């Protein structure tokens, strides 16, 4: 704890959603502590976070699978809760490398929970995904819908949820918040932090932004014969800053009343691929070329959340529109055409690897 601010461990806190949640937690009066091995993030994010929050960033570099070290981290910072973002998230890759996914995603959660048990820190928020619902019988999807995961990635998320449920049953002292995210997109309005996918993006919004900036020629729209109003896939896109606010609400609720929950985080509204492209054209003032391509294997026609439980349990509701999401994605992309690897001569001047005031301690990653 720093100056009596409650410390919250963010495993994977240097990643896309973790970094936005870091900012939201600071603004809400918490002291977030990042634990990350940078396997899918860039250390330059730490300086950006420092710039945004105007305070030193605490970051512990290492692997969440290293349980004794996680115990040390929890103790060193006197964490009262943890948010577990760390994990791998590419559905296609999980089909190719299932063992890697089970080890990192399920093994990572087990390691964290063992360390939390040892240090008697028993409040945890878990990053789950709407993908646990599989192909839903209808929309909107509420939390009582049956889970039917299809990919190894989705299975890891449901396994983690089941582990957390067993733990809660075994010991009511555990306070567990499971958040099933729909489609997080967008970036912080400052343009300092955002999504930084390596290689060719799998997801629609980062792909569209790369087309708008001229990095890719056109968007392939996967399927135009779905039973949706314009034939293209419909999803529930959620601004990442709204998602970050949802985590603050979840941690605060767990610490205040201790009741565990599983909730959807989305806007409750569906947007088609063509509508996303049109909104991005409005936001960027650029034309986004696209062509129709065959359906992508494993995709479902439409997917959006019933978000009433998040409203009644957490008092949380998404605030941003699709136009906000596109504007902020575009701003991030324009300011950082190479993501965190972008070298800028005008502000933000972020070439320095790690600021002297940042508290970054390094530990070699354990074998994966
Ligand atoms: P991300 O890849 O940007 O962030 C994950 C972070 O975890 C990265 O910084 C990575 O370096 C770190 N990490 C991975 N394995 C680690 C390990 N063993 N030890 C320490 N650090 C490790 O991903 P994100 O988009 O921020 O997603 C965060 C979480 O939310 C993930 O668990 C993901 O499955 C889940 N989720 C994401 C989405 C999405 O669309 N982005 C949707 C639903 C659920
Ligand atoms: N999509 C697309 N072209 C792309 C990437 C995605 O048409 O290059 C479509 C995809 O078929 C789906 C929607 O955009 O209907 C959202 O896909 P994304 O991968 O972003 O999210 P998810 O499928 O995980 O919901």
């Amino acid at each position: 704890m720093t100056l009596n601010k409650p410390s919250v461990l963010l495993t994977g806190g240097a990643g896309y959603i973790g970094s936005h949640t870091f900012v939201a937690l600071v603004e809400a009066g918490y002291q977030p502590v990042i634990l990350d091995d940078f396997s899918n993030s860039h250390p330059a994010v730490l300086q950006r976070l420092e710039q945004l929050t105007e305070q030193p960033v605490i970051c512990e570099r290492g692997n969440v699978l290293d349980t004794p070290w996680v115990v040390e981290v929890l103790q060193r910072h006197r964490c009262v809760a943890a948010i577990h973002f760390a994990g791998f998230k590419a559905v296609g890759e999980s089909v190719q490398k299932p063992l890697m996914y089970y080890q990192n995603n399920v093994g990572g959660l087990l390691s964290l929970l063992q360390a939390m048990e040892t240090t008697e820190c028993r409040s945890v928020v878990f990053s789950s995904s709407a993908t646990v619902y599989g192909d839903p019988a209808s929309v909107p999807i509420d939390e009582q819908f049956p889970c039917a995961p299809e990919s190894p990635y989705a299975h890891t998320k449901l396994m983690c949820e089941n582990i957390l449920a067993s733990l809660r049953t075994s010991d009511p002292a555990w306070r567990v918040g499971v958040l099933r995210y729909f489609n997080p997109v967008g970036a912080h309005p400052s343009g300092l932090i955002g999504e930084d996918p390596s290689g060719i993006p799998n997801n629609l919004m980062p792909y569209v932004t790369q087309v708008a900036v001229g990095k890719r020629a056109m968007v392939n729209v996967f399927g135009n014969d779905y039973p949706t109003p314009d034939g293209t896939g419909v999803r529930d896109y959620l601004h990442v800053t709204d998602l970050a606010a949802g985590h603050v609400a979840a941690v605060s609720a767990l610490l205040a009343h201790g009741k565990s929950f599983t909730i959807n985080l989305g806007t409750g509204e569906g947007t088609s691929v063509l509508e996303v492209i049109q909104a991005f054209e409005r936001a960027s003032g650029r034309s986004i070329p696209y062509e129709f391509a065959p359906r992508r294997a494993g995709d479902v026609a439409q997917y959006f959340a019933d978000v009433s439980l998040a409203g009644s349990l957490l008092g949380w509701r998404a605030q941003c529109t699709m136009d906000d999401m596109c504007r902020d994605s575009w701003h991030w992309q324009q300011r950082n055409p190479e993501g965190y690897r972008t070298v800028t001569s005008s502000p933000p001047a972020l070439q320095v690897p790690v600021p002297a005031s940042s508290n970054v301690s390094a530990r070699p990653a354990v074998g994966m």
Side-chain angles (χ1 to χ4, degrees):
M1 264 194 273
T2 310
L3 300 173
N4 297 325
K5 289 182 182 174
S7 290
V8 179
L9 186 72
L10 306 188
T11 71
Y16 173 48
I17 301 169
S19 56
H20 289 81
T21 303
F22 182 97
V23 176
L25 284 167
V26 170
E27 286 168 353
Y30 290 95
Q31 174 59 68
V33 173
I34 294 175
L35 180 160
D36 207 298
D37 64 358
F38 296 94
S39 53
N40 196 38
S41 48
H42 195 287
V45 70
L46 303 177
Q47 296 154 258
R48 308 278 184 112
L49 289 174
E50 188 156 278
Q51 202 173 335
L52 260 175
T53 59
E54 299 179 333
Q55 67 171 53
V57 168
I58 302 176
C59 177
E60 299 274 0
R61 185 171 192 156
N63 196 314
V64 74
L65 288 165
D66 185 349
T67 315
W69 173 67
V70 181
V71 169
E72 284 171 33
V73 170
L74 287 165
Q75 285 171 337
R76 181 155 51 244
H77 300 286
R78 298 195 190 128
C79 295
V80 297
I83 307 181
H84 186 51
F85 298 105
F88 297 146
K89 62 173 179 176
V91 174
E93 187 183 49
S94 79
V95 177
Q96 305 304 320
K97 300 176 181 170
L99 297 183
M100 190 174 100
Y101 271 69
Y102 284 106
Q103 183 178 21
N104 202 38
N105 293 7
V106 180
L109 177 73
L110 285 172
S111 172
L112 173 68
L113 295 175
Q114 281 157 354
M116 292 178 74
E117 178 91 350
T118 305
T119 56
E120 298 183 9
C121 166
R122 295 198 180 91
S123 295
V124 62
V125 173
F126 175 64
S127 295
S128 191
S129 166
T131 190
V132 296
Y133 295 116
D135 192 355
S138 59
V139 282
I141 304 167
D142 73 32
E143 292 82 355
Q144 300 310 315
F145 270 46
C147 288
E150 289 176 358
S151 66
Y153 168 72
H155 277 285
T156 69
K157 290 295 177 190
L158 189 58
M159 277 186 185
C160 288
E161 289 195 15
N162 290 338
I163 290 166
L164 288 162
S166 302
L167 195 57
R168 234 172 46 208
T169 308
S170 75
D171 180 355
W174 277 95
R175 301 167 173 206
V176 176
V178 171
L179 304 181
R180 292 178 177 158
Y181 314 155
F182 278 67
N183 287 55
V185 296
H188 193 272
S190 64
L192 283 169
I193 57 173
E195 189 171 12
D196 187 16
S198 51
I200 302 171
N202 291 313
N203 297 115
L204 179 65
M205 186 65 88
Y207 203 99
V208 169
T209 57
Q210 293 196 359
V211 171
V213 85
K215 257 176 120 171
R216 311 209 176 269
M218 66 173 70
V219 181
N220 289 302
V221 175
F222 298 140
N224 63 343
D225 56 353
Y226 283 111
T228 59
D230 65 18
T232 67
V234 166
R235 296 289 183 275
D236 185 341
Y237 298 94
L238 170 70
H239 198 298
V240 67
T241 56
D242 278 331
L243 183 56
H247 288 80
V248 175
V251 168
S252 301
L254 284 184
L255 293 176
H257 61 62
K259 289 198 198 83
S260 296
F261 49 81
T262 296
I263 53 169
N264 290 336
L265 293 183
T267 59
E269 280 174 31
T271 308
S272 74
V273 176
L274 291 183
E275 285 170 334
V276 170
I277 291 174
Q278 286 154 10
F280 210 92
E281 287 183 327
R282 281 195 301 276
S284 64
R286 299 207 176 172
S287 130
I288 313 282
Y290 66 85
E291 65 181 16
F292 292 119
R295 291 181 179 191
R296 186 172 65 178
D299 271 354
V300 304
Q302 53 176 343
Y303 225 84
F304 54 91
D306 180 326
V307 289
S308 39
L309 196 58
S312 58
L313 275 185
L314 302 183
W316 174 90
R317 194 179 168 78
Q319 305 292 326
C320 297
T321 63
M322 176 51 66
D323 284 344
D324 298 329
M325 301 176 213
C326 292
R327 179 200 62 217
D328 293 335
S329 292
W330 177 233
H331 187 210
W332 157 253
Q333 178 70 55
Q334 272 189 306
R335 276 187 89 155
N336 308 276
E338 301 303 325
Y340 290 111
R341 282 156 292 277
T342 302
V343 176
T344 51
S345 51
S346 55
L350 298 158
Q351 296 92 327
V352 191
V354 174
S357 53
S358 286
N359 177 359
V360 182
S361 53
R363 164 108 176 182
V366 300
M368 292 284 294

